[in-house]
Amino acid sequence: MKNINLLARSLAAVWHPCTQMKRHESFPLIPIARAQGTWLYEADGKRYLDAVSSWWVNLFGHGEPRIKAAISLQMDTLEHVMLAGFTHQPVVELSERLAKLSGLGHAFYGSDGASAIEVALKMSVHYWRNQGQAQKNRFIYLENSYHGETAGALSVTDVPVFRDAYAPLVRDNFCVMNPDTRQALAAETASDVAERAIDALVATLEKHHQDIAALILEPLVQGAAGMAMYDLSYLQKARLLCDRYQIHLVCDEIAVGFGRTGSMFAYEQANIKPDFLCLSKGITGGFLPLAVVLSRDEIYAAFYHDDISRAFLHSHSYTGNPLACAAALAVLDIFENDDVIAKNAEKALRWDMVFATLALHPKVRNYRRTGMIWAFDVVGVAPGFAQRFFIAALEQELLLRPIGNTVYFMPPYCLTDAEVRHLLSGTLAALDAVENVISEFVDAVVA
Ligand SMILES: *Cc1c(COP(=O)(O)O)cnc(C)c1O
């Protein structure tokens, strides 16, 4: 039996994120009592396979014992201290290790992903100001990009439903064509599409580069665009253009970092280095909020001065929280000790042979994979597909949350081969269930 009381109390007391609350008149909330590995459990034992890693944050499964132990141990000595004027072992060690992994230095901490984006945008503009180029204060972003919900992040996010209501708060920037491979015309390859997107970028740069501080993008996979995957040549050419036109490259790896695309960071695959790297989500394995911005030493140097107004005076209360840093250190240990990147490469190939069945489904188009992210688009569906599919998937013990008509898997890496088969059969069953709903829908409209 559902805990009706808890659901009513939640609707009365909690304003849930990314939700039209009135919808819950017809769709009940799902009360989760506990989680273990890839599974979320209701109090009565009903369970759901967390195929989207709880909004892309979970890496190694729920309740990962080594992360739990690290947080617990840290709790015994220091839960928090302000980071202005003070420092501590976990934040120093994490910063050193992230620098070693990324080749970028001086980690600046925030909490959620959007706070990292705000930091990177502000740092970029302030860098140019410190260089005597205060007019360089606008950004280029890609079509269908998503960088978070705060006002600065929305100004480089191309999702009208998230943005329109706040138009008066959001600054105008330059939106350019993205390299999403699904835009390929007849004989075009992925790299042809990337080339067309590069042409659009060049056109904007030629016209406006004097006023532009940075280009911001999600390397290899635009998550909220519906797992839009693209050719790495785009990153290589964009990097060269940023150098030529003297603007920063901000890589938002909040979603794709920590192995999701097959390498620790997605930009590595293009053999480039960003000027700013934004990380969050998976960084603590899904245990605690933590975000970080790493940057080139030359950027840090431009703020280092006797004059306080040249300093980066940004801060958040929980900056560099020791518990979150301890969780992140445990995550990095797991990557090393379990050889996660290499193991994932084997898993991805094995699982891809199972999931590829989906490509044969008559309603499926653009079946695709980058590293540990799978996605496909469902054609010929009535409006409201995402919501109906979400509910049909729950019936199959799956947590899947389509974006528009795109269904994707971004599972915790601990998924077992048996769970992979469950995910495939459940997805196929949910697709068929939704199709029935559609035929009923069509019948109703026709009748
Ligand atoms: C989720 C996400 C963000 C925002 O992170 P929050 O923690 O939700 O603020 C920014 N960029 C990308 C690419 C994301 O996927």
Side-chain angles (χ1 to χ4, degrees), residues 56 112-115 117 146-148 218 252 254-255 280-281:
W56 321 346
D112 291 279
S115 68
I117 298 297
Y146 179 86
H147 297 289
E218 301 154 80
D252 174 355
I254 290 164
S280 186
K281 290 202 167 121

Side-chain angles (χ1 to χ4, degrees), residues 27-40:
F27 301 110
L29 286 160
I30 302 154
I32 297 302
R34 62 191 183 84
Q36 189 57 48
T38 45
W39 294 93
L40 304 166

Side-chain angles (χ1 to χ4, degrees), residues 157-174:
T157 288
D158 182 33
V159 185
V161 70
F162 294 153
R163 185 175 158 138
D164 287 353
Y166 318 104
L169 304 179
V170 173
R171 198 144 171 271
D172 253 348
N173 286 309
F174 300 101

Side-chain angles (χ1 to χ4, degrees), residues 364-396:
V364 167
R365 299 286 183 280
N366 302 318
Y367 172 83
R368 56 195 181 275
R369 173 178 78 88
T370 298
M372 296 292 270
I373 306 173
W374 283 262
F376 59 88
D377 306 329
V378 186
V379 294
V381 296
F385 166 80
Q387 179 72 23
R388 283 198 311 278
F389 186 90
F390 169 70
I391 289 165
L394 290 174
E395 292 291 314
Q396 303 298 324

